[in-house]
């Protein structure tokens, strides 16, 4: 059986201000980077075999935290 885990990116300054980001490429802020780093060990414990994210920096920055812990490359999916 395959398990799919969806993980939302960490906080950005737009999130903090209540602004909608859509496809605007807003990076993680300091809080968002800390959130990604804090959540990654729990996800790594699930034993992922693949890490996929969107090309947006906030998603890629979040996914890199998991990739660094697992040794997995982060695959970027434009879809």
């Amino acid at each position: 059986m395959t398990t799919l885990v969806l993980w939302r990116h960490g906080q950005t300054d737009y999130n903090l201000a209540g602004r909608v980001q859509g496809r605007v490429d807003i990076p993680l802020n300091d809080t968002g980077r800390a959130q990604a780093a804090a959540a990654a060990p729990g996800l790594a414990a699930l034993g992922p075999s693949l890490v996929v994210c969107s090309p947006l920096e906030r998603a890629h920055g979040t996914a890199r935290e998991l990739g660094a812990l697992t040794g997995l490359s982060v695959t970027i999916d434009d879809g």
Side-chain angles (χ1 to χ4, degrees):
M1 182 168 94
T2 299
T3 300
L4 174 66
V5 177
L6 301 178
W7 180 23
R8 189 178 187 276
H9 61 78
Q11 186 184 73
T12 68
D13 288 339
Y14 270 32
N15 294 141
L16 189 59
R19 295 181 64 182
V20 175
Q21 298 170 107
R23 297 287 291 178
V24 178
D25 199 4
I26 306 299
L28 297 173
N29 59 22
D30 289 341
T31 299
R33 284 187 289 278
Q35 289 170 334
L43 292 165
L46 297 174
S49 58
L50 181 66
V51 179
V52 180
C53 72
S54 84
L56 298 176
E57 180 52 36
R58 62 185 176 265
H60 194 214
T62 301
R64 277 194 303 264
E65 292 291 334
L66 181 56
L69 286 178
T70 61
L72 294 170
S73 297
V74 176
T75 300
I76 296 176
D77 187 322
D78 290 327

